[in-house]
Amino acid sequence: MKSIFTAFFLTLSSFLGAQVNPKFQTKLDQQAKGMEQKVIEWRRHFHQYPELSDQEIKTASYVVQHLQSLGLKVQTGVAKTGVVALLETGKPGPVIALRADMDALPVTERNGLPFASKERAIYNGQETGVMHACGHDSHMAILMAVAEILAKNKNELKGTIKFIFQPAEEGSVNGQEGGANLMVKEGVLDNPKVDVVFGMHIQSMTPVGNIAYRPAGLMAASDWFSIKVKGKQAHGAAPWMSIDPIVVSSQIIIGLQTIISRQSELTKEAAVITVGKIQAGIRENIIPEEATFAGTIRTLDAGMQDKIHEKIKLTATKIAESAGATAEVTIERKTPITYNDPVLTAKMLPSLKRAAGENHVIEIHAVTGAEDFAFYQQKVPGLFFFVGAMPSGIDPANAPSHHTPDFMIDEQGFIIGLKAMLDVTTGYMFMKKINE
């Protein structure tokens, strides 16, 4: 253990911190403030015209038009609808990737905003509203502003900046491959090879002006599971002639919760098993032959993740067997743990504090939400952080959460997100080693 800490501090002490010219930083701050209204206008456009995962065609076109107007090299159609742009300074330096996600959710908006979405779509065979119910609209608007400001100051920068506008962060439909995982496979971190990646997420439950971060595991791994229970069909008036898959499914669902409450070492890390979908039967007086249900698993430790997978399979099959039914369990690993490189996080903390203020950068506990930004972090050091945008006057316990029809954010939070992305970019770009 001692050697690990020694290596950490030796690595950290080999850096003197960001050597950004204070006058240059002040100029960037002023330009960021000057673009605040434009960021709001871009965000409202994206919010009013959202598109689902892998369908972000108009969204991507809007982004491309802006990036091309800045004179950047732009590549389209990455991971289906993704956009990647390069700002090349022509001077030696690091390759820094900045990422924003583009997709919206199958949620019908009801928050009463004047620019609320009225878009409709078919999702999993059902008609639904489409809404930016997670803040991806603000991520795109902020990164567009970052690109404009950095392009305007190209002569004072060094190295290369890669702007990644990613589709399908919420997951591709019908089990298709997409999002960050597909972007990585298609080489988004190569040509030129990326040294470091930064990303942020607006937060409706964090007060405006605050940045929240955590070294190491910030967000959970996300796995999806499906369980098909097969029994014996019978008339609802004679349940003894059946093997009721609905009752068996109910028992399995309750049994799954004991995996968390009684079989998982929760003092080590948090874990969650949630059933979000149940399908069975077609008529009130018929006990069906089959029932299926599905849900998600969230873990922050790889060992616990493997153990919970095993326990789910054991619990489902044995409970079904005890009733004379069978259970088929399918588990799909979707998203890894969002892991902030500890050395990188420590190095960039001064940049975050500069953006928000010393007392407004808060280290938090890990959260059980998931982010496919993790796929970039598996390949290169990365830092992902939260930017507060909770509407004023709201109790955090009652703030509208992400992925809900009432989701709402305070646009005053955008300026901190914009400054933070500029500061971590220039902070890393001008980080000096002792031997330089």
Side-chain angles (χ1 to χ4, degrees):
M1 181 63 73
K2 183 178 179 181
S3 62
I4 294 175
F5 282 110
T6 301
F8 175 82
F9 285 112
L10 282 174
T11 303
L12 189 58
S13 63
S14 68
F15 289 87
L16 294 174
Q19 303 295 307
V20 188
N21 186 306
K23 290 184 179 179
F24 181 49
Q25 286 184 312
T26 300
K27 181 170 75 166
L28 294 182
D29 289 344
Q30 292 170 345
Q31 291 178 0
K33 186 62 179 175
M35 289 201 66
E36 187 174 14
Q37 191 56 43
K38 188 180 286 189
V39 173
I40 291 172
E41 291 172 4
W42 286 334
R43 180 260 170 165
R44 291 184 178 186
H45 171 83
F46 289 132
H47 192 89
Q48 193 166 7
Y49 303 105
E51 295 175 296
L52 294 174
S53 297
D54 294 329
Q55 300 175 29
E56 309 94 336
I57 297 170
K58 293 179 181 178
T59 301
S61 178
Y62 193 90
V63 170
V64 167
Q65 184 177 3
H66 175 67
L67 297 176
Q68 288 179 335
S69 74
L70 303 177
L72 304 181
K73 292 183 179 179
V74 180
Q75 181 183 2
T76 61
V78 184
K80 303 172 189 174
T81 55
V83 179
V84 180
L86 282 182
L87 172 57
E88 298 173 316
T89 68
K91 290 175 279 187
V95 179
I96 302 169
L98 307 176
R99 176 271 206 166
D101 34 17
M102 302 194 299
D103 53 328
L105 287 156
V107 174
T108 303
E109 189 161 6
R110 67 180 181 200
N111 54 30
L113 290 174
F115 50 91
S117 167
K118 295 180 175 61
E119 299 295 306
R120 307 287 296 177
I122 302 297
Y123 184 85
N124 281 347
Q126 299 182 50
E127 185 178 353
T128 178
V130 182
M131 177 188 175
H132 272 295
C134 201
H136 298 185
D137 48 354
S138 57
H139 304 165
M140 288 185 284
I142 288 170
L143 191 56
M144 286 169 63
V146 171
E148 181 167 332
I149 292 170
L150 293 179
K152 188 182 298 183
N153 293 278
K154 174 181 174 180
N155 291 338
E156 297 185 66
L157 305 176
K158 66 178 184 178
T160 301
I161 304 166
K162 185 175 287 193
F163 302 96
I164 300 173
F165 289 83
Q166 178 208 304
E169 189 280 325
E170 302 291 355
S172 294
V173 296
N174 301 322
Q176 298 178 26
E177 191 173 37
N181 192 28
L182 186 56
M183 291 202 100
V184 170
K185 287 187 177 181
E186 292 189 2
V188 74
L189 299 178
D190 302 313
N191 301 318
K193 183 173 176 55
V194 168
D195 295 303
V196 67
V197 59
F198 296 114
M200 54 146 281
H201 204 301
I202 211 80
Q203 260 287 352
S204 69
M205 294 169 286
T206 300
V208 168
N210 288 345
I211 290 176
Y213 80 101
R214 176 181 169 84
L218 172 69
M219 301 181 75
S222 172
D223 304 319
W224 289 7
F225 70 90
S226 176
I227 299 177
K228 179 186 292 185
V229 177
K230 291 186 177 180
K232 180 182 178 184
Q233 188 161 322
H235 196 294
W240 53 85
M241 298 181 67
S242 76
I243 299 175
D244 191 336
I246 294 177
V247 172
V248 174
S249 295
S250 301
Q251 292 172 330
I252 294 172
I253 291 168
I254 296 299
L256 294 181
Q257 299 310 308
T258 67
I259 296 173
I260 300 300
S261 66
R262 289 296 180 270
Q263 302 173 58
S264 297
E265 192 178 352
L266 298 182
T267 55
K268 184 178 184 180
E269 288 289 359
V272 174
I273 299 175
T274 292
V275 175
K277 182 171 68 173
I278 304 175
Q279 294 176 312
I282 195 169
R283 184 179 167 91
E284 291 82 351
N285 66 343
I286 300 174
I287 295 171
E289 183 177 56
E290 191 173 286
T292 61
F293 59 95
T296 186
I297 309 158
R298 302 298 170 102
T299 50
L300 288 151
D301 177 84
M304 289 176 68
Q305 181 182 30
D306 292 339
K307 184 177 180 180
I308 288 172
H309 287 193
E310 293 172 5
K311 292 289 186 179
I312 287 175
K313 293 173 183 176
L314 182 66
T315 299
T317 55
K318 293 304 181 182
I319 289 177
E321 184 181 326
S322 72
T326 61
E328 299 174 6
V329 181
T330 302
I331 300 176
E332 181 183 2
R333 295 177 185 260
K334 299 288 287 187
T335 308
I337 296 168
T338 306
Y339 187 86
N340 284 333
D341 181 273
V343 173
L344 175 66
T345 303
K347 282 163 37 180
M348 303 320 301
L349 196 53
S351 296
L352 296 179
K353 289 181 177 180
R354 186 190 177 279
E358 182 78 24
N359 297 323
H360 292 280
V361 178
I362 305 159
E363 183 174 346
I364 59 172
H365 294 294
V367 298
T368 49
E371 241 292 346
D372 77 352
F373 186 83
F375 285 108
Y376 306 118
Q377 293 173 309
Q378 285 188 324
K379 301 296 183 181
V380 299
L383 173 61
F384 193 77
F385 55 92
F386 298 125
V387 174
M390 184 178 71
S392 59
I394 292 181
D395 182 343
N398 299 320
S401 75
H402 295 238
H403 289 222
T404 68
D406 302 309
F407 175 77
M408 190 184 301
I409 52 179
D410 189 335
E411 293 169 330
Q412 292 183 65
F414 295 171
I415 186 66
I416 296 296
L418 175 53
K419 289 174 63 178
M421 289 297 278
L422 288 169
D423 280 357
V424 295
T425 301
T426 56
Y428 187 87
M429 181 181 293
F430 293 102
M431 191 77 65
K432 283 188 175 290
K433 292 185 179 181
I434 290 174
N435 59 4
E436 284 186 349

